[in-house]
Amino acid sequence: MATQGSDEERDGIGPGRRALLGAAVLGGAVLGLPGTAAADARHGGGGYRSLPKPTIIGHRGASGYRPEHTLGSYQLALDLGADVVEAGDLVPTKDGHLVCRHEPEIGGTTDVSAHPGFADRRTTKLLDGVSTTGWFTEDFTLAELKTLRAKERIPANRPHNTLYDGRWEIPTFEEVLRWQDEQTRKRGRQVWIYPELKHPTYFRELGLGLEERVAKVLRRHGKDRKNSPVILQSFEPTSVRRLDGLVGNPLVVLLSGASTRPWDFVKSGDPRTVADLVKPEGLKWIASYAQGIGPTLDLVIPRDAGGNLTTPTTLVRDAHAEGLVLHPYTMRNENPFLPANFRRGTDPDGYGDAFGAFRTYFATGIDGVFTDNPDTGVLAREEFLDD
Ligand code: G3P
Ligand code: CA
């Protein structure tokens, strides 16, 4: 942040304009990078690069206001001005359909526990090495899942959202693609979506490989091309590389905490951690098959022991040097989810200074951000670009 301030004093250009200028310069830089240029040619440098910057991505829709991954949440994200909607996180059903849930276990986001007929489906499984108890999408047919209704995941933090419990079904990926077309027609602008493939190694071991299914559905809808308005993301690099061979869509590798290892790496014995992947050589490797990274915000600006933001890392610069866009996750308005220095008042679930936090992250030069509160993000961007 000190560096940003110094730059501004030197050339008199505000951070918003700097971000735009940076994007323009980097567009040219991309063309000069052979590995990246090859991947970019396959996946199209045009479509996703034309999105407004910093791009506001509705995380699980507008999940700050509605139960996540419902058509109601997706719809509201667009109404609130999101440029792109994360619709959805994708998991499979027993009969091989793709549905939108953040994880296979659905006890926390649906009313499944209130269905006596499904009581015997409650079970405990190892999910990416973690013992998990509940109900799992892969144990239900699509017809069975369609009898459930979505509910708020964190009612303690978001009690108002429980007003909408029970209103919406679990959407399928097919329904999302049709919804995208309807909304594009209705709004007279291209609606973008940003689906994530969840736990691809886990599901492949169950005989429910995700990548081929995603590719098939996208192909059926004519949305598997380099300029299609669909960005695909996964925490597992192996999955993104597999997608690289199946579709032309822009691809993003998600990056969790620095000390973690993607589950596909754990299973294959690849010793690299996220800390290795964010080094220049790791980023170069990612840029050979993907167009962007989705790091946790803490990889962009780490927090100290007290939860306060410290100094930005070199990740934005290093990723841009490889032609990769950065879409970090996740900005949320409530105090517990904000860095400590942006919390306000004594209500643990009240809103903090989300505008200040957005502004600070935008100033690092990120290309976009996932947020549960797209309206706050859009307004924060407006103010940032006006500075
Ligand atoms: O997909 C970006 C972000 O959503 C990754 O985190 O856990 O919310 O899917 P998660
Ligand atoms: Ca996600």
Side-chain angles (χ1 to χ4, degrees):
M1 281 186 285
T3 308
Q4 293 282 343
S6 311
D7 286 350
E8 194 171 349
E9 279 163 25
R10 271 201 306 276
D11 59 25
I13 300 171
R17 301 296 169 211
R18 190 188 315 288
L20 289 176
L21 286 171
V25 170
L26 285 160
V30 165
L31 298 173
L33 292 165
T36 306
D40 225 41
R42 287 199 302 282
H43 295 274
Y48 70 97
R49 289 191 184 276
S50 67
L51 286 165
K53 281 195 182 182
T55 309
I56 303 301
I57 305 155
H59 183 240
R60 312 181 196 171
S63 55
Y65 313 110
R66 298 287 185 273
E68 67 187 41
H69 287 311
T70 58
L71 288 183
S73 184
Y74 300 158
Q75 180 83 22
L76 185 62
L78 292 181
D79 292 345
L80 296 179
D83 305 304
V84 182
V85 182
E86 193 197 29
D89 287 314
L90 299 177
V91 293
T93 66
K94 185 179 183 176
D95 45 351
H97 296 277
L98 295 166
V99 294
C100 303
R101 289 290 90 190
H102 181 257
E103 61 277 300
E105 201 288 304
I106 51 174
T109 62
T110 72
D111 62 359
V112 64
S113 64
H115 288 246
F118 296 139
D120 62 351
R121 308 276 177 99
R122 189 167 188 273
T123 185
T124 299
K125 302 190 185 200
L126 265 189
L127 176 59
D128 293 1
V130 177
S131 179
T132 307
T133 298
W135 292 262
F136 295 78
T137 59
E138 67 267 24
D139 296 334
F140 291 77
T141 64
L142 178 59
E144 288 172 335
L145 283 181
K146 279 293 188 182
T147 67
L148 307 181
R149 293 294 177 269
K151 68 175 189 181
E152 172 55 40
R153 173 192 292 276
I154 44 174
N157 299 87
R158 293 172 173 167
H160 293 125
N161 297 5
T162 61
L163 174 65
Y164 304 95
D165 284 0
R167 294 187 73 87
W168 292 291
E169 300 174 358
I170 297 176
T172 66
F173 190 35
E174 290 269 5
E175 287 166 351
V176 162
L177 293 171
R178 287 197 290 272
W179 168 85
Q180 179 187 22
D181 292 339
E182 282 163 19
Q183 292 300 314
T184 295
R185 273 195 301 276
K186 196 171 143 191
R187 293 168 192 267
R189 72 169 176 96
Q190 180 60 60
V191 167
W192 280 72
I193 61 169
Y194 207 137
E196 178 186 344
L197 284 69
K198 281 291 181 188
H199 305 286
T201 296
Y202 169 82
F203 284 121
R204 186 161 292 277
E205 286 174 354
L206 295 176
L208 290 166
L210 293 179
E211 297 81 4
E212 296 80 1
R213 285 179 166 80
V214 169
K216 191 173 167 189
V217 175
L218 286 175
R219 205 171 301 128
R220 192 155 57 230
H221 287 260
K223 295 182 183 179
D224 61 332
R225 313 204 179 116
K226 62 183 187 179
N227 283 323
S228 297
V230 181
I231 305 170
L232 297 171
Q233 48 168 336
S234 175
F235 277 104
E236 295 187 18
T238 310
S239 180
V240 177
R241 296 183 81 185
R242 193 170 267 128
L243 285 169
D244 181 36
L246 292 170
V247 296
N249 305 69
L251 305 173
V252 167
V253 174
L254 296 169
L255 299 167
S256 193
S259 63
T260 64
R261 272 167 87 200
W263 184 245
D264 53 328
F265 282 16
V266 174
K267 293 294 282 189
S268 68
D270 188 324
R272 288 176 295 174
T273 62
V274 166
D276 296 312
L277 295 181
V278 296
K279 288 178 185 159
E281 69 199 56
L283 295 168
K284 188 180 284 299
W285 177 70
I286 290 174
S288 69
Y289 57 87
Q291 286 62 51
I293 56 171
T296 161
L297 284 164
D298 289 349
L299 288 171
V300 178
I301 311 182
R303 303 188 200 197
D304 63 20
N308 300 288
L309 292 187
T310 60
T311 307
T313 65
T314 59
L315 182 58
V316 173
R317 188 189 68 203
D318 295 344
H320 282 170
E322 295 300 334
L324 293 164
V325 297
L326 282 92
H327 294 158
Y329 64 92
T330 303
M331 259 300 299
R332 299 179 169 101
N333 285 357
E334 294 96 346
N335 277 320
F337 306 119
L338 286 167
N341 45 319
F342 291 100
R343 294 176 195 152
R344 294 290 177 267
T346 53
D347 180 355
D349 297 320
Y351 280 3
D353 179 17
F355 286 110
F358 269 112
R359 195 165 48 244
T360 304
Y361 288 122
F362 288 160
T364 63
I366 58 173
D367 301 281
V369 66
F370 288 85
T371 176
D372 290 4
N373 306 90
D375 50 343
T376 314
V378 167
L379 190 50
R381 174 178 64 191
E382 213 173 287
E383 291 170 0
F384 174 72
L385 294 177
D386 278 348
D387 270 354

